mmCIF file of all heavy atoms in Angstrom:
data_model
loop_
_atom_site.group_PDB
_atom_site.id
_atom_site.type_symbol
_atom_site.label_atom_id
_atom_site.label_comp_id
_atom_site.label_asym_id
_atom_site.label_seq_id
_atom_site.Cartn_x
_atom_site.Cartn_y
_atom_site.Cartn_z
ATOM 1 N N LYS I 72 130.776 111.995 85.427
ATOM 2 C CA LYS I 72 130.535 112.209 86.844
ATOM 3 C C LYS I 72 131.310 111.286 87.715
ATOM 4 O O LYS I 72 131.516 110.061 87.363
ATOM 5 C CB LYS I 72 129.014 112.092 87.110
ATOM 6 C CG LYS I 72 128.177 113.152 86.508
ATOM 7 C CD LYS I 72 126.865 113.370 87.342
ATOM 8 C CE LYS I 72 126.085 114.464 86.798
ATOM 9 N NZ LYS I 72 124.957 113.980 85.892
ATOM 10 N N ILE I 73 131.667 111.757 88.939
ATOM 11 C CA ILE I 73 132.365 110.921 89.947
ATOM 12 C C ILE I 73 131.609 111.193 91.232
ATOM 13 O O ILE I 73 131.477 112.375 91.626
ATOM 14 C CB ILE I 73 133.838 111.398 90.100
ATOM 15 C CG1 ILE I 73 134.592 111.404 88.723
ATOM 16 C CG2 ILE I 73 134.490 110.464 91.023
ATOM 17 C CD1 ILE I 73 135.987 111.904 88.762
ATOM 18 N N ASN I 74 131.209 110.066 91.871
ATOM 19 C CA ASN I 74 130.563 110.277 93.178
ATOM 20 C C ASN I 74 131.026 109.259 94.119
ATOM 21 O O ASN I 74 130.877 108.057 93.909
ATOM 22 C CB ASN I 74 128.964 110.176 92.920
ATOM 23 C CG ASN I 74 128.344 110.399 94.293
ATOM 24 O OD1 ASN I 74 128.522 111.259 95.011
ATOM 25 N ND2 ASN I 74 127.371 109.475 94.582
ATOM 26 N N LEU I 75 131.614 109.697 95.286
ATOM 27 C CA LEU I 75 132.112 108.860 96.282
ATOM 28 C C LEU I 75 130.981 108.712 97.460
ATOM 29 O O LEU I 75 130.580 109.773 97.959
ATOM 30 C CB LEU I 75 133.411 109.307 96.879
ATOM 31 C CG LEU I 75 133.915 108.546 98.053
ATOM 32 C CD1 LEU I 75 134.449 107.136 97.599
ATOM 33 C CD2 LEU I 75 135.078 109.319 98.787
ATOM 34 N N ASP I 76 130.607 107.478 97.667
ATOM 35 C CA ASP I 76 129.656 107.275 98.831
ATOM 36 C C ASP I 76 130.491 107.137 100.059
ATOM 37 O O ASP I 76 131.199 106.170 100.269
ATOM 38 C CB ASP I 76 128.909 106.013 98.446
ATOM 39 C CG ASP I 76 127.842 105.701 99.588
ATOM 40 O OD1 ASP I 76 128.095 106.070 100.779
ATOM 41 O OD2 ASP I 76 126.799 105.107 99.260
ATOM 42 N N ARG I 77 130.392 108.119 100.978
ATOM 43 C CA ARG I 77 131.267 108.215 102.116
ATOM 44 C C ARG I 77 130.946 107.051 103.156
ATOM 45 O O ARG I 77 131.745 106.673 103.941
ATOM 46 C CB ARG I 77 131.141 109.569 102.892
ATOM 47 C CG ARG I 77 131.748 110.657 102.071
ATOM 48 C CD ARG I 77 133.250 110.458 101.841
ATOM 49 N NE ARG I 77 134.077 110.619 102.991
ATOM 50 C CZ ARG I 77 135.108 109.902 103.322
ATOM 51 N NH1 ARG I 77 135.426 108.817 102.612
ATOM 52 N NH2 ARG I 77 135.791 110.066 104.417
ATOM 53 N N LYS I 78 129.709 106.521 103.051
ATOM 54 C CA LYS I 78 129.368 105.410 103.974
ATOM 55 C C LYS I 78 130.059 104.086 103.521
ATOM 56 O O LYS I 78 130.657 103.365 104.333
ATOM 57 C CB LYS I 78 127.871 105.134 104.069
ATOM 58 C CG LYS I 78 127.217 106.147 104.850
ATOM 59 C CD LYS I 78 125.858 105.731 105.350
ATOM 60 C CE LYS I 78 124.986 106.855 105.805
ATOM 61 N NZ LYS I 78 123.887 107.276 104.841
ATOM 62 N N THR I 79 129.967 103.813 102.248
ATOM 63 C CA THR I 79 130.536 102.496 101.756
ATOM 64 C C THR I 79 131.983 102.725 101.204
ATOM 65 O O THR I 79 132.612 101.635 100.980
ATOM 66 C CB THR I 79 129.600 101.992 100.606
ATOM 67 O OG1 THR I 79 129.673 102.957 99.596
ATOM 68 C CG2 THR I 79 128.195 101.743 101.046
ATOM 69 N N ASN I 80 132.350 103.867 100.985
ATOM 70 C CA ASN I 80 133.585 104.163 100.308
ATOM 71 C C ASN I 80 133.697 103.552 98.913
ATOM 72 O O ASN I 80 134.754 103.229 98.364
ATOM 73 C CB ASN I 80 134.862 103.771 101.164
ATOM 74 C CG ASN I 80 135.126 104.777 102.173
ATOM 75 O OD1 ASN I 80 134.998 106.002 101.900
ATOM 76 N ND2 ASN I 80 135.621 104.339 103.350
ATOM 77 N N LEU I 81 132.521 103.351 98.265
ATOM 78 C CA LEU I 81 132.436 102.955 96.929
ATOM 79 C C LEU I 81 132.335 104.220 96.076
ATOM 80 O O LEU I 81 131.645 105.137 96.406
ATOM 81 C CB LEU I 81 131.279 102.051 96.632
ATOM 82 C CG LEU I 81 131.250 100.728 97.368
ATOM 83 C CD1 LEU I 81 129.989 99.883 97.023
ATOM 84 C CD2 LEU I 81 132.447 99.867 97.071
ATOM 85 N N VAL I 82 132.966 104.185 94.977
ATOM 86 C CA VAL I 82 132.914 105.406 94.059
ATOM 87 C C VAL I 82 132.233 105.063 92.695
ATOM 88 O O VAL I 82 132.535 103.940 92.192
ATOM 89 C CB VAL I 82 134.383 106.057 93.791
ATOM 90 C CG1 VAL I 82 135.287 105.144 92.958
ATOM 91 C CG2 VAL I 82 134.214 107.384 93.180
ATOM 92 N N THR I 83 131.329 105.878 92.255
ATOM 93 C CA THR I 83 130.769 105.594 90.905
ATOM 94 C C THR I 83 131.292 106.587 89.970
ATOM 95 O O THR I 83 131.264 107.807 90.196
ATOM 96 C CB THR I 83 129.186 105.769 91.121
ATOM 97 O OG1 THR I 83 128.813 104.979 92.176
ATOM 98 C CG2 THR I 83 128.473 105.408 89.837
ATOM 99 N N ILE I 84 131.793 106.098 88.775
ATOM 100 C CA ILE I 84 132.271 106.981 87.805
ATOM 101 C C ILE I 84 131.637 106.721 86.498
ATOM 102 O O ILE I 84 131.139 105.591 86.209
ATOM 103 C CB ILE I 84 133.832 106.784 87.653
ATOM 104 C CG1 ILE I 84 134.175 105.336 87.129
ATOM 105 C CG2 ILE I 84 134.574 107.057 88.870
ATOM 106 C CD1 ILE I 84 135.619 105.204 86.593
ATOM 107 N N GLY I 85 131.534 107.754 85.649
ATOM 108 C CA GLY I 85 131.015 107.644 84.282
ATOM 109 C C GLY I 85 131.975 106.904 83.416
ATOM 110 O O GLY I 85 133.238 106.859 83.757
ATOM 111 N N GLY I 86 131.543 106.394 82.342
ATOM 112 C CA GLY I 86 132.408 105.620 81.388
ATOM 113 C C GLY I 86 133.408 106.572 80.687
ATOM 114 O O GLY I 86 134.327 106.040 80.002
ATOM 115 N N GLY I 87 133.316 107.851 80.858
ATOM 116 C CA GLY I 87 134.310 108.704 80.237
ATOM 117 C C GLY I 87 135.168 109.503 81.176
ATOM 118 O O GLY I 87 135.742 110.588 80.922
ATOM 119 N N VAL I 88 135.326 108.906 82.392
ATOM 120 C CA VAL I 88 136.176 109.542 83.397
ATOM 121 C C VAL I 88 137.668 109.150 83.200
ATOM 122 O O VAL I 88 137.983 108.066 82.987
ATOM 123 C CB VAL I 88 135.690 109.190 84.881
ATOM 124 C CG1 VAL I 88 136.795 109.496 85.914
ATOM 125 C CG2 VAL I 88 134.376 109.811 85.117
#
Side-chain angles (χ1 to χ4, degrees):
K72 287 209 179 96
I73 306 175
N74 180 48
L75 176 70
D76 181 330
R77 290 301 288 139
K78 281 200 197 106
T79 59
N80 278 326
L81 298 178
V82 68
T83 306
I84 64 169
V88 164

